[in-house]
């Protein structure tokens, strides 16, 4: 499964979780299986957000503008 599921896949997975959540005593195994496809996508988003936060701190720490930072990155490559 790709880390970028289609919107249709996301809706189907969330509906499956809603059905499981409506049960009086939700089955833990079924719930974990229904959640599993979303985890790689969420993890990838968290990693990208962490990278962007780190880049922002670096720009602020060195008191440089975004364009200077991008230019520096191109020089390094």
């Amino acid at each position: 499964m790709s880390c970028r599921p289609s919107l249709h896949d996301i809706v189907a997975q969330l509906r499956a979780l809603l059905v499981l959540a409506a049960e009086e005593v939700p089955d833990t195994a079924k719930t974990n299986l229904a959640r599993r496809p979303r985890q790689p996508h969420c993890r990838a988003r968290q990693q990208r957000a962490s990278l962007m936060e780190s880049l922002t701190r670096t720009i602020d720490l060195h008191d440089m503008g975004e364009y200077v930072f991008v230019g520096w990155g191109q020089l390094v490559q």
Side-chain angles (χ1 to χ4, degrees):
M1 172 174 256
S2 149
C3 278
R4 303 192 92 177
S6 70
L7 185 56
H8 176 72
D9 293 337
I10 294 170
V11 169
Q13 291 165 1
L14 291 175
R15 284 187 178 149
L17 284 171
L18 278 174
V19 169
L20 292 170
E23 294 178 358
E24 190 172 317
V25 179
D27 185 335
T28 306
K30 288 180 183 177
T31 304
N32 285 335
L33 286 174
R35 285 185 30 225
R36 190 170 291 159
R38 298 289 312 130
Q39 289 173 341
H41 179 66
C42 293
R43 204 171 301 122
R45 290 187 71 187
Q46 288 171 342
Q47 289 171 345
R48 283 193 300 271
S50 177
L51 173 65
M52 293 305 294
E53 184 179 340
S54 176
L55 291 175
T56 301
R57 279 196 309 263
T58 300
I59 290 169
D60 291 343
L61 178 67
H62 295 288
D63 197 28
M64 65 174 87
E66 292 85 2
Y67 296 110
V68 174
F69 185 78
V70 170
W72 174 79
Q74 290 173 348
L75 283 174
V76 172
Q77 293 177 351

